[in-house]
Amino acid sequence: MSDSKGYAVNDLVWAKMKGFSPWPGRISVPPAELRRIAVKKNNPVKCIFFFGTNNYAWIEETQIKPYQEFKDKLLNSCKTALFKEAVQQIEEFMVNPEKFQPLFVGENEAANRPDPDVEFNKLREGGTGSGTEESGPEDSPTVNNTTTPAALETVVEDGGASPMVKKTPAKKKTSATKVRAIGNKAKAASLLDDVSSGPTPKRKKKLLDETGDLSALDLDVDSYTSTVRRSAPISHLLNRPVTVTRPDTPEIDMSTVSDAVQSRNIQASQLRFGFLGLGIMGCGIVKNLIKSGHSVVVWNRNATKCRKFAAVGAEVADTPCDVVELTDVTYSCVSDPQVAKDLVFGNCGVIQASLTNKGYVEMTGVDPESSQDIAEAIVRKGGRYLEAQIQGSKNQAEEGTLIILASGDRVLFEDCQSCFEAISRNSFYLGDVGNATKMNLVLQMISGIALAGIAEALALADRAGLQQKDVLEVLELTSMSSEMLLQKGKAIIKGEFPTHHALKYMQKDLKLALGLADGLEQSSPITAASNEVFKHAKRLGYGSHDASAVYVRARF
């Protein structure tokens, strides 16, 4: 398929980039976004599409070898799983090239690019294409395409006089008119540019008719502009699915009680407790409150989630305001600071109820400022306020082994002790409002940075040809070992990310931690970098997956 001068598009080759092993690829039309590199004299380059990674690069011809000819020699030059996948893909391409056509962005762009000559002829035909024609004044001569001469020669006299039009006999009727500019090539070229280029300011473009009258054709060139669209989604370049589906999260089993809760011999408080929010964490917490003998009233934005709790003894309220009216202490555990404030200040919110001597406990991961705003509103209405930030994930919530970080009203903290005993293995009182949220954000910084680190490390191990499970086995024996890193590492190796702590909430906590640091003028570059990694993974569609899905961003 290649000629004596080099390689042609669609040739299969081995291409070597500096620092990498020879890799199977294909000579391809470069995509528009691939920047041309500087070329050394007498050393041409080719655009290579690399199988396996689905990336493009400019490679010097001296670093390119025919695939079949050097297959036996280079097949064992690399041992990584990605290399084996690349070899498998190029072999599949040889059998079924149509399967890979969506990946070749450059060819798809070229196929969709309009032909300037065709677009120009459509203009001359007066609206037979995608555009529309605006007629000139009634007394202006019109163009009859069936009698227009086959060519118009525009002759410009010396001295810049008006052009003279010389008619030439028409050999046959034609629907298109060719314009040949003599002495005014720049003007004709600019006309073509105006027609075939992208969007331009709305204006009229006049063409010569056979009598030399410019007013005969009065066209709106905006109607003829065209946009080149990319045929292949960008996700193909990164070898990721276009649609990302979150793995199913198992429903909570209301019939069981964890060993941890059973072993504590909890004496349930006689107070009535309300709970707002039955998400991943809320479900496990409420289950353990009910199983330990507490009286609970629940509310959730999606009322269907309340049914399973009603079946085991919980009362269901219609609004957050109703929950507060029916209980002595109300817990809130929702997704983010804005939702937490909406429950308090919104329609039928918490402060619409009578709060005198009632307690409100904020378990949502919030920033200190939001917590302070809620505290002031609750206290102003005669209530008591406590932060109770939680450390742990879905499994710990269901097992009753969370860590509680509390600050605010000390008496309310004591009133909640039986609840904390049912849902956590330890609870800490940290003083004034704001201290618990600060402590939680500091711990989430550590967690987020560590998770981004293990994701990058396992990605590097795979790229370097190491077995990821071997990395975890060695890690488990070192002083760096931790339960979180090992659990997330196993999820990464399996490639499944069932949600225990959603990636979007981890990114939210990192963002709040950066806000806290910024307010205190504390430099946090590592946290900022980790936050960007999580943001990118969320934008790729993994926000509702487990936080370990950050590996997708690190790997690709």
Side-chain angles (χ1 to χ4, degrees), residues 497-509:
F497 310 106
T499 308
H500 294 278
H501 181 64
L503 184 145
K504 60 184 176 183
Y505 299 144
M506 176 62 77
Q507 190 272 321
K508 177 262 298 181
D509 289 338

Side-chain angles (χ1 to χ4, degrees), residues 182-493:
I182 301 176
N184 198 7
K185 294 181 179 179
K187 186 172 182 178
S190 67
L191 176 60
L192 282 175
D193 289 340
D194 287 338
V195 172
S196 61
S197 63
T200 57
K202 191 175 181 71
R203 65 186 186 277
K204 309 291 185 180
K205 178 60 68 176
K206 297 181 178 180
L207 306 178
L208 286 173
D209 76 341
E210 55 187 298
T211 65
D213 191 341
L214 293 175
S215 63
L217 291 176
D218 197 7
L219 302 177
D220 184 354
V221 297
D222 286 347
S223 301
Y224 295 90
T225 58
S226 60
T227 303
V228 179
R229 291 182 173 84
R230 190 180 307 282
S231 297
I234 194 66
S235 58
H236 284 302
L237 295 177
L238 302 176
N239 201 26
R240 283 188 293 266
V242 177
T243 303
V244 180
T245 304
R246 187 184 74 175
D248 292 333
T249 300
E251 291 286 337
I252 189 169
D253 185 0
M254 299 298 296
S255 63
T256 61
V257 182
S258 72
D259 294 338
V261 174
Q262 284 182 328
S263 65
R264 291 172 188 157
N265 192 25
I266 300 167
Q267 299 297 317
S269 171
Q270 297 304 306
L271 298 175
R272 295 198 77 194
F273 296 93
F275 205 92
L276 308 177
L278 298 174
I280 289 178
M281 302 297 290
C283 284
I285 293 173
V286 172
K287 172 189 171 181
N288 287 324
L289 290 177
I290 295 173
K291 293 296 183 179
S292 58
H294 292 85
S295 175
V296 183
V297 180
V298 297
W299 173 88
N300 190 68
R301 284 178 293 183
N302 181 2
T304 57
K305 282 192 173 183
C306 299
R307 295 172 185 169
K308 65 182 70 176
F309 297 99
V312 293
E315 184 177 348
V316 179
D318 294 329
T319 67
C321 178
D322 293 337
V323 173
V324 175
E325 293 285 4
L326 294 170
T327 60
D328 300 299
V329 177
T330 301
Y331 295 91
S332 170
C333 185
V334 289
S335 58
D336 58 54
Q338 185 57 53
V339 177
K341 289 193 284 189
D342 288 344
L343 291 185
V344 175
F345 302 105
N347 187 33
C348 297
V350 170
I351 61 173
Q352 304 298 321
S354 174
L355 284 167
T356 304
N357 294 325
K358 293 193 174 184
Y360 190 77
V361 182
E362 186 59 79
M363 305 185 85
T364 306
V366 298
D367 55 287
E369 291 77 13
S370 295
S371 183
Q372 190 66 48
D373 291 343
I374 295 172
E376 291 175 359
I378 298 296
V379 172
R380 193 181 303 119
K381 293 277 291 185
R384 300 174 294 158
Y385 179 78
L386 183 73
E387 294 174 343
Q389 302 291 278
I390 49 180
Q391 278 289 309
S393 61
K394 176 178 178 290
N395 286 346
Q396 286 75 44
E398 293 181 2
E399 294 168 0
T401 56
L402 297 168
I403 301 296
I404 302 295
L405 308 171
S407 62
D409 191 295
R410 182 61 189 253
V411 176
L412 181 55
F413 175 74
E414 298 297 337
D415 289 343
C416 294
Q417 276 306 299
S418 67
C419 295
F420 291 161
E421 189 177 355
I423 67 176
S424 69
R425 58 182 175 181
N426 214 332
S427 59
F428 297 89
Y429 181 76
L430 302 176
D432 296 335
V433 171
N435 288 345
T437 55
K438 294 173 185 176
M439 176 70 79
N440 184 59
L441 293 180
V442 168
L443 294 174
Q444 288 300 94
M445 281 179 65
I446 298 172
S447 178
I449 292 170
L451 186 49
I454 189 68
E456 283 196 3
L458 290 178
L460 175 60
D462 181 63
R463 187 62 62 89
L466 300 175
Q467 293 294 320
Q468 293 176 329
K469 62 181 182 62
D470 293 343
V471 175
L472 286 188
E473 288 179 8
V474 175
L475 176 64
E476 190 173 7
L477 300 175
T478 69
S479 59
M480 298 180 291
S481 177
S482 75
E483 182 179 354
M484 184 201 75
L485 292 181
L486 294 176
Q487 287 180 349
K488 301 304 184 184
K490 291 175 182 177
I492 287 171
I493 292 175

